[in-house]
Structures are given as structure tokens and as C-alpha cells.
Amino acid sequence: MGENAILDEFQGDGDQDVMVTAYRHDAHKMNGQPHDYAPETFARVSVNQTVPHCADGDASALSRPNGQPEQTVDAHETHYRLSLLTGESHYDPDEFSRARLSEAISDLLTGSDPEAMHRAWLTSDVASGFNESIYYSYTSLKYHTLLVAALLNNYRAGNEFEDLLLVVDDAGEIVPHRTVYAGDRFALRIDESAGGNPWARLGSRPWRSWASTWTRLTEHPLDVNHDKHDMVLDANLRRIWSWSTALQYIEDFESQEENP
């Protein structure tokens, strides 16, 4: 099955919800295995399947350049993410020990309730530890996966990419499969309707457009007139073009504020 598989071509587990494929499609990256050689199952569930509607390819285009990938950071050719905030690898020998990693990955991949899997990815610290590609060390597997799910869910509903918006929601407001960031102060989702909330259109095609989209929000969730923390966060978000890198940067920046 090709990368651009459509729904009619999708072959799942029979009763498996199609949304589940989005949360399991890059399981091999948490084991550091190339897709072509990765096992087709993990803990007896199907993983590493092609996502319908080209949602994976479109989400990748939001965070990575087209063409032949090249190593962008010397001496860092691993699947552990580099933090744009600190410049350090997210690898922790305790957090990523074989036993703890196996348990954490099971929580992310083996569920059968797709909405529960969405919430597990939104709150996962372990998924934040991996990049989308060893060639793009600052990208985030966690936010790539959430973007894949949001695009797939919209495409299944008949929404085209050019219809989609980045929407700012209140903290705690989680829209199944469409919320791509959930923090203590606000949430972000990809949807065709803003429902009266601040929004910005994604554009006519998938490309690394985070900074442009963030800048065009009708209202920002940050207090950039009075709060120095928010001023710095906003200024840096206006310089980041990769979507998964930017969403991960918000998580890292907000976590640093909570745990200085």
C-alpha cells in the first residue's frame, strides 16, 4: 500500500477504528527502527500502518522540508529529540530505561478507544522525547502524531486542507482528535470552525508555516503587553516555522516556567 493510500485501500484489523492508525503509525520511531524493517505488530496490535488520506504526508510537510533529508545537527544522529529551549538531548537514562519505555509505549499504542489514545498522546512526556526524523532533531514525534490525527479526522469529515484553521481554545477544552496542544493556560486545535474563538487559516497547502499562522491569529492567548515570559515565548514562536517544533517549544517553555 502506497503512502498516499485512500480510505478504501486501508487494511486495518477488521474492527480497528481508522483513527487508531494515526496514533500507532510511527511506533517504530520509538524503537529507533527504520520503517521498512520495523515489526508490523507491538504487543499483538498492528502498528506502523499507512495512514489514510495522506494525513501523514501532509503533517510531515508542516514540519519538515521536502526532498532528500540531510543531517542538520552534527554529532546528533539519534531518535532522541534535541530541545530548542536548552539545546540538550531529551534522553534520560531513567525515563528511557527499557522497562519504563516499554510500559509508556504500551500506554500510547495498545488501547482500543481512539479518544483515550488521543488524550494519552496529549499528556505524554515520553512521546516528547523523540523526534520526527533523526535528520531534523528539533522536531517532535508527539506533536507530529497529534497533527496527523487532527488532519485525518478533518479529512474524514470532508474538510480539505485549505478549509482548516488553527483555533485557540480555553485550557481544559479538548476536542477529540482535533486538539493538538493542551496546556494549563490554553489549548490549540485544527478545525474547520473556530466557534467564536481566535483563529488563523492554515493556508492553501501543507508547508512549514507555523510562524506565519501564529502571527495571523485574530487574538493571541499570551499577554505580550505586560508579561515578560509571554513576550519571550511569543517572540520565539514568530521565528519557528516547523509546526511540531513550535508546539513542542510551547510545552517545554511552559514547563520551564512551572518548574524553574
Side-chain angles (χ1 to χ4, degrees):
M1 189 162 52
E3 185 177 4
N4 295 334
I6 60 174
L7 187 60
D8 289 343
E9 296 171 322
F10 171 73
Q11 299 295 322
D13 283 339
D15 295 332
Q16 175 179 297
D17 189 294
V18 175
M19 288 306 304
V20 170
T21 63
Y23 300 113
R24 295 178 179 169
H25 84 282
D26 268 345
H28 65 98
K29 293 183 178 178
M30 288 186 275
N31 290 323
Q33 299 168 312
H35 185 274
D36 290 345
Y37 304 103
E40 296 180 351
T41 61
F42 172 83
R44 291 183 288 184
V45 300
S46 297
V47 295
N48 302 320
Q49 295 171 294
T50 302
V51 180
H53 296 293
C54 200
D56 185 21
D58 287 357
S60 297
L62 288 174
S63 302
R64 288 179 271 159
N66 294 324
Q68 190 69 24
E70 298 179 357
Q71 188 171 347
T72 53
V73 179
D74 292 339
H76 188 79
E77 192 176 351
T78 81
H79 56 294
Y80 294 110
R81 181 178 63 85
L82 277 181
S83 169
L84 194 61
L85 189 63
T86 66
E88 302 294 327
S89 171
H90 200 72
Y91 174 75
D92 180 284
D94 294 326
E95 186 178 6
F96 293 100
S97 67
R98 182 178 295 274
R100 295 191 65 179
L101 191 58
S102 178
E103 180 180 356
I105 292 175
S106 293
D107 291 342
L108 292 171
L109 301 181
T110 61
S112 58
D113 178 350
E115 290 190 17
M117 295 180 74
H118 174 233
R119 287 180 176 271
W121 276 88
L122 276 174
T123 57
S124 175
D125 292 329
V126 167
S128 298
F130 299 97
N131 53 46
E132 284 187 55
S133 164
I134 62 173
Y135 301 109
Y136 303 105
S137 303
Y138 297 104
T139 57
S140 168
L141 177 60
K142 172 179 178 175
Y143 288 104
H144 166 70
T145 301
L146 290 166
L147 288 167
V148 171
L151 293 180
L152 176 60
N153 191 253
N154 274 286
Y155 293 165
R156 293 183 70 202
N159 302 323
E160 302 289 341
F161 185 87
E162 62 188 17
D163 300 328
L164 300 180
L165 316 172
L166 174 66
V167 182
V168 181
D169 288 324
D170 293 335
E173 184 175 348
I174 306 299
V175 179
H177 310 305
R178 298 192 179 186
T179 298
V180 294
Y181 169 79
D184 292 337
R185 298 196 295 163
F186 60 90
L188 299 171
R189 67 181 152 97
I190 304 295
D191 215 324
E192 91 291 359
S193 173
N197 289 354
W199 61 274
R201 194 169 295 283
L202 267 60
S204 60
R205 62 180 175 82
W207 65 292
R208 290 185 298 167
S209 59
W210 168 267
S212 173
T213 306
W214 176 261
T215 302
R216 288 185 286 101
L217 279 170
T218 55
E219 183 179 344
H220 283 79
L222 305 177
D223 180 8
V224 296
N225 292 323
H226 304 95
D227 189 304
K228 290 185 178 178
H229 170 88
D230 283 3
M231 292 178 193
V232 173
L233 175 57
D234 178 64
N236 288 332
L237 289 175
R238 292 169 184 265
R239 300 186 180 100
I240 302 171
W241 289 93
S242 163
W243 277 71
S244 75
T245 301
L247 292 168
Q248 186 64 65
Y249 184 79
I250 298 173
E251 178 185 309
D252 291 350
F253 199 90
E254 295 287 76
S255 297
Q256 185 188 58
E257 177 71 4
E258 295 169 1
N259 303 293

